[in-house]
Amino acid sequence: GAVVSQHPSWVICKSGTSVKIECRSLDFQATTMFWYRQFPKKSLMLMATSNEGSKATYEQGVEKDKFLINHASLTLSTLTVTSAHPEDSSFYICSARDGSQYEQYFGPGTRLTVT
Amino acid sequence: DQQVKQNSPSLSVQEGRISILNCDYTNSMFDYFLWYKKYPAEGPTFLISISSIKDKNEDGRFTVFLNKSAKHLSLHIVPSQPGDSAVYFCAAKEYNFNKFYFGSGTKLNVKP
């Protein structure tokens, strides 16, 4: 149980284009989803927290207009990187939790490379 | 200011021996702590957790110890296996908040 999927697993895009990453909870309803970014040899950096049906809460320093997060249903959240730049290249990971558990269950991550 | 710290970036242990991974935190409002294991290019997988009302939680080969007075937790893996080689993150959550704070990770290498 508690499986979270992400799609795509890796993507290469050109500067200036937008990329959408999907995060799905496959066997539970995720009242809250989180988006993280991991830099090489660094910890997970929380970008934003989203609750189903409401606007995401962004961490300080994360541009909400650049990283658009939508949590339209209890099983799906999307992260859209708009007008991507090479410095946006990173490993993006989502996680999800249902309302009754403290644990977050992570997706496998998406490797984004912007050329 | 990092509220959860893992001061050892790496640890090497012989197969069959004990692995001890350490984590320190600064926020006394943290009430729940977790350990995650991560392989390269994959998302973290949940290993074990502990509530602040306990000082020990055991699950098979994995045991987490919490010392609230020292604001310190540790993960013990006994016996260590080569498949345990991964990066281990500790995380902490503040009471009534959704947000988790992660340490920077410790890369464990278990040698056959």
Side-chain angles (χ1 to χ4, degrees):
Chain A
V3 178
V4 176
S5 70
Q6 270 183 253
H7 178 78
S9 55
W10 60 272
V11 58
I12 301 173
C13 70
K14 293 188 176 181
S15 288
T17 60
S18 295
V19 174
K20 180 185 283 189
I21 302 169
E22 290 186 351
C23 177
R24 293 181 186 272
S25 57
L26 299 184
D27 51 2
F28 67 101
Q29 294 189 321
T31 53
T32 306
M33 285 186 167
F34 305 84
W35 286 95
Y36 293 85
R37 182 173 177 178
Q38 186 180 25
F39 297 96
K41 298 183 180 179
K42 297 284 186 183
S43 183
L44 301 168
M45 184 193 82
L46 179 65
M47 299 174 67
T49 303
S50 72
N51 292 299
E52 185 264 339
S54 60
K55 289 185 179 180
T57 302
Y58 289 81
E59 294 300 302
Q60 192 172 13
V62 179
E63 299 174 61
K64 61 180 70 175
D65 294 330
K66 180 169 185 60
F67 298 100
L68 301 178
I69 291 171
N70 183 281
H71 190 165
S73 77
L74 284 172
T75 58
L76 173 65
S77 175
T78 60
L79 167 67
T80 302
V81 183
T82 63
S83 188
H85 288 277
E87 55 264 33
D88 298 327
S89 298
S90 192
F91 193 59
Y92 292 88
I93 309 174
C94 73
S95 71
R97 61 179 282 252
D98 69 28
S100 62
Q101 302 291 332
Y102 280 154
E103 292 82 10
Q104 293 182 28
Y105 297 95
F106 286 83
T110 297
R111 168 70 60 191
L112 170 63
T113 302
V114 184
T115 60
Chain B
D1 180 35
Q2 203 166 355
Q3 298 192 45
V4 179
K5 296 181 182 178
Q6 292 176 257
N7 292 316
S8 298
S10 64
L11 174 68
S12 188
V13 170
Q14 203 67 38
E15 180 180 6
R17 307 294 286 269
I18 184 171
S19 294
I20 300 176
L21 298 107
N22 294 303
C23 181
D24 297 294
Y25 61 96
T26 57
N27 188 343
S28 57
M29 298 302 290
F30 287 150
D31 71 333
Y32 200 74
F33 304 87
L34 309 91
W35 283 93
Y36 285 87
K37 176 180 178 180
K38 185 181 183 300
Y39 294 112
E42 293 184 10
T45 53
F46 170 73
L47 264 182
I48 192 169
S49 62
I50 188 168
S51 163
S52 61
I53 62 174
K54 295 186 176 181
D55 53 20
K56 177 182 175 180
N57 187 26
E58 192 171 350
D59 184 2
R61 296 186 298 115
F62 302 92
T63 303
V64 57
F65 294 92
L66 175 62
N67 183 333
K68 287 190 293 293
S69 60
K71 293 192 178 68
H72 177 85
L73 68 155
S74 61
L75 174 68
H76 292 209
I77 305 174
V78 183
S80 301
Q81 300 173 353
D84 296 330
S85 297
V87 177
Y88 290 78
F89 290 97
C90 67
K93 190 185 91 64
E94 191 174 329
Y95 174 73
N96 228 20
F97 284 87
N98 261 330
K99 183 175 176 179
F100 280 48
Y101 295 84
F102 283 84
S104 53
T106 296
K107 185 174 183 179
L108 173 65
N109 178 33
V110 180
K111 295 178 286 187

